[in-house]
Amino acid sequence: MKHFRDDQLVFLLCTPRSGSSLTTVMLQNHEEVFAAQEMWYLLSLADLQLAPVRPYGGTGIIRQFYNGIISEDLFHRAARSFGVEIYEGLLNQNGARKIIDKSPRYYILLEFLDAVFPESQRIGLFRNPLSVAASYKKVNAYSGEPFSLIEDLKQPIPGMKIVDLTAGLFRYATYFKGESAYSYKLQYEELVRQPEQQLRKLCEFIGISYREGMEKYGNPVSEEKADLFYSMGAGDPFLLNHTQAHVQSIDAWKDQLSPDEVDAYCRVLGAQIFHDLGYSEELEEAQRITGVRYELSPDEATMERIEQQFLKSSGYIWKPDYELSTSSILTGIQPAEAVDDLELEAMQGNRISDHRQASIQIAQLETRVRLLENRLTKSYMEKNHVEKQLIQLRSKLNRIKSILPFGNRLSSWAQGYLSGREGKS
């Protein structure tokens, strides 16, 4: 664990259907790189704090443990230790120097990712949003899964595909808005037009030398690595139809999406995000097809409904307008070397005992505060739950009274009968 460095870990971040499978299969066609098709495992690690319902019970106790007894900083350090063991183990098993974690829905936990691996490398992969929507439509038609862009955007409780196409897209666009030494932005369209040139730049960012022909994933550097990569069955089901990048899908959205679908999606997204991501020409084409000039701002009501419904159902909390920080000091976890230096300075100043005792007392008080806050929240939620049940029961009783003849008289008779029976017992 002590040998692992954050810069050995590369997160490939994008919404699903943005070309991450293609990007990953080309990057892993390098002897120094290991990548599975998709990992997602940091999501399950972060979910420990949410304490999902399990058949053996104890959900409330587990939630209190992770959110009351354990501080957030301690949880992040423990998560980092577990994550380092996994990543370093995979590197050692596969004789690699860099690991690619390609998990499109990591937009859900960007804050957690930054807190646990603050100096990891992040590739932000973006694609024309209309092409992403078209790819969803194509893949779901192929797999038989239901997907209707227009109808799904209207649903009061959105499915994950709609969350991807809206909240997920905006989260990544905001996250990669600024410049950072830890981030690299890449357009899918540029990658398929100039695969070798773009891979050379990616390799330079990652810290490896470009390998001649690595973009030709149909000619893998290792058959074993390729077999392992494809064995998961995740990602783009059409990837193996080709042996290297092609430009056929760049303009396919014009045929795959109807004008009504283009219109519905552009109205929700607004025009500004197309400009911000470098797709102004594609927006102009969409406006020509639909005959509509779209507002710069997104449909705020729809966007807020989608985001809030997802957060409510998942239990996650997102910081508003969250961007990638350029400093690990702001994230809550420092590299191991920095911690060692701080401890050494404290020992040299003969102040470590006082500082440690004060820290322990503060941590104990903070724990008690969290536990009491959780109990208060639980009591409030229980009170609300009982009140809702009471309202529902009263409403049901009143409906029955209104339907039955002499309903109120029957109610008085029933209460008198019960009172009399109780008196005799």
Side-chain angles (χ1 to χ4, degrees):
M1 188 171 71
K2 293 180 179 178
H3 302 295
F4 182 84
R5 302 187 317 276
D6 276 20
D7 64 2
Q8 293 180 274
L9 172 60
V10 183
F11 290 110
L12 178 56
L13 302 174
C14 63
T15 58
R17 318 261 40 99
S18 295
S20 57
S21 293
L22 175 66
T23 309
T24 308
V25 76
M26 291 193 289
L27 285 174
Q28 70 90 39
N29 195 26
H30 190 293
E31 62 273 8
E32 296 183 29
V33 176
F34 170 79
Q37 271 199 357
E38 293 185 11
M39 293 190 184
W40 289 54
Y41 95 94
L42 284 184
L43 281 163
S44 62
L45 189 58
D47 281 353
L48 288 173
Q49 286 186 302
L50 304 180
V53 175
R54 294 180 172 89
Y56 51 75
T59 300
I61 297 172
I62 297 170
R63 187 173 290 121
Q64 283 278 61
F65 179 74
Y66 280 115
N67 297 281
I69 299 295
I70 295 180
S71 68
E72 187 172 46
D73 177 65
L74 176 57
F75 179 74
H76 287 159
R77 284 188 280 119
R80 177 180 174 83
S81 296
F82 182 84
V84 165
E85 289 291 342
I86 293 292
Y87 289 130
E88 189 170 48
L90 289 171
L91 287 173
N92 292 337
Q93 289 176 17
N94 294 277
R97 194 163 64 86
K98 299 280 184 172
I99 187 166
I100 310 291
D101 186 343
K102 185 267 278 194
S103 303
R105 285 185 177 144
Y106 274 0
Y107 67 79
I108 296 170
L109 44 64
L110 293 173
E111 294 88 345
F112 176 80
L113 185 154
D114 286 350
V116 178
F117 294 102
E119 296 183 347
S120 59
Q121 297 176 304
R122 291 85 152 181
I123 299 171
L125 175 63
F126 293 97
R127 185 181 185 183
N128 174 15
L130 291 166
S131 293
V132 175
S135 181
Y136 256 127
K137 183 178 180 181
K138 177 183 176 183
V139 170
N140 281 269
Y142 170 80
S143 63
E145 295 181 48
F147 177 72
S148 172
L149 182 58
I150 297 174
E151 294 303 316
D152 290 354
L153 283 169
K154 298 177 183 177
Q155 294 301 313
I157 301 179
M160 277 309 304
K161 295 163 190 171
I162 293 300
V163 179
D164 296 336
L165 289 166
T166 54
L169 173 62
F170 275 87
R171 280 272 283 177
Y172 278 140
T174 302
Y175 184 70
F176 286 102
K177 184 185 296 183
E179 298 296 326
S180 169
Y182 305 119
S183 70
Y184 182 92
K185 284 177 277 190
L186 172 68
Q187 277 193 336
Y188 166 82
E189 291 79 7
E190 292 303 309
L191 178 65
V192 297
R193 288 189 182 111
Q194 302 175 324
E196 180 182 335
Q197 291 90 325
Q198 295 303 319
L199 280 176
R200 286 184 182 275
K201 294 178 182 179
L202 273 179
C203 287
E204 183 179 358
F205 168 71
I206 293 171
I208 57 177
S209 299
Y210 168 77
R211 179 186 179 277
E212 197 70 35
M214 62 184 292
E215 66 277 4
K216 299 176 182 178
Y217 58 87
N219 182 26
V221 64
S222 166
E223 293 289 348
E224 291 183 359
K225 279 182 66 177
D227 290 343
L228 177 63
F229 180 85
Y230 292 117
S231 65
M232 288 187 69
D236 186 357
F238 306 111
L239 185 63
L240 284 173
N241 290 353
H242 303 272
T243 59
Q244 58 186 20
H246 62 86
V247 299
Q248 297 171 14
S249 61
I250 290 180
D251 293 321
W253 64 272
K254 299 174 189 177
D255 297 321
Q256 292 167 349
L257 296 179
S258 69
D260 287 343
E261 289 173 321
V262 172
D263 180 58
Y265 192 34
C266 286
R267 286 182 187 276
V268 170
L269 293 186
Q272 189 62 55
I273 193 162
F274 285 90
H275 299 314
D276 291 344
L277 297 179
Y279 294 105
S280 298
E281 291 183 8
E282 287 77 3
L283 175 66
E284 286 293 331
E285 182 66 11
Q287 292 178 149
R288 187 192 64 76
I289 291 172
T290 61
V292 178
R293 197 80 182 171
Y294 297 105
E295 298 284 342
L296 284 175
S297 300
D299 181 340
E300 297 289 354
T302 299
M303 291 295 299
E304 184 176 0
R305 170 178 57 80
I306 292 171
E307 180 175 317
Q308 292 305 315
Q309 282 292 340
F310 170 73
L311 294 178
K312 180 181 178 181
S313 62
S314 68
Y316 276 89
I317 298 173
W318 290 346
K319 294 180 182 178
D321 302 319
Y322 185 71
E323 291 186 45
L324 171 61
S325 170
T326 58
S327 173
S328 63
I329 296 175
L330 301 177
T331 64
I333 286 187
Q334 296 175 335
E337 295 81 4
V339 173
D340 291 341
D341 289 341
L342 290 174
E343 290 179 355
L344 181 60
E345 289 177 12
M347 290 177 67
Q348 290 172 339
N350 295 318
R351 295 190 300 269
I352 190 168
S353 297
D354 293 340
H355 290 174
R356 181 170 293 170
Q357 187 62 35
S359 298
I360 290 172
Q361 291 176 355
I362 291 171
Q364 289 174 342
L365 288 172
E366 287 179 340
T367 297
R368 290 173 62 186
V369 168
R370 282 195 303 273
L371 289 171
L372 288 173
E373 286 175 343
N374 288 344
R375 287 177 62 185
L376 183 63
T377 301
K378 183 179 179 182
S379 299
Y380 177 75
M381 291 175 64
E382 287 177 348
K383 177 176 177 290
N384 283 350
H385 181 65
V386 172
E387 287 179 345
K388 287 179 181 178
Q389 283 187 317
L390 186 59
I391 291 171
Q392 290 173 352
L393 287 173
R394 282 176 176 165
S395 176
K396 184 176 181 180
L397 179 60
N398 290 334
R399 285 200 305 273
I400 293 173
K401 285 182 181 180
S402 66
I403 294 172
L404 291 174
F406 311 109
N408 289 322
R409 192 177 300 175
L410 285 171
S411 175
S412 300
W413 175 83
Q415 291 176 4
Y417 172 76
L418 291 173
S419 298
R421 188 176 67 178
E422 289 174 357
K424 294 177 182 178
S425 58

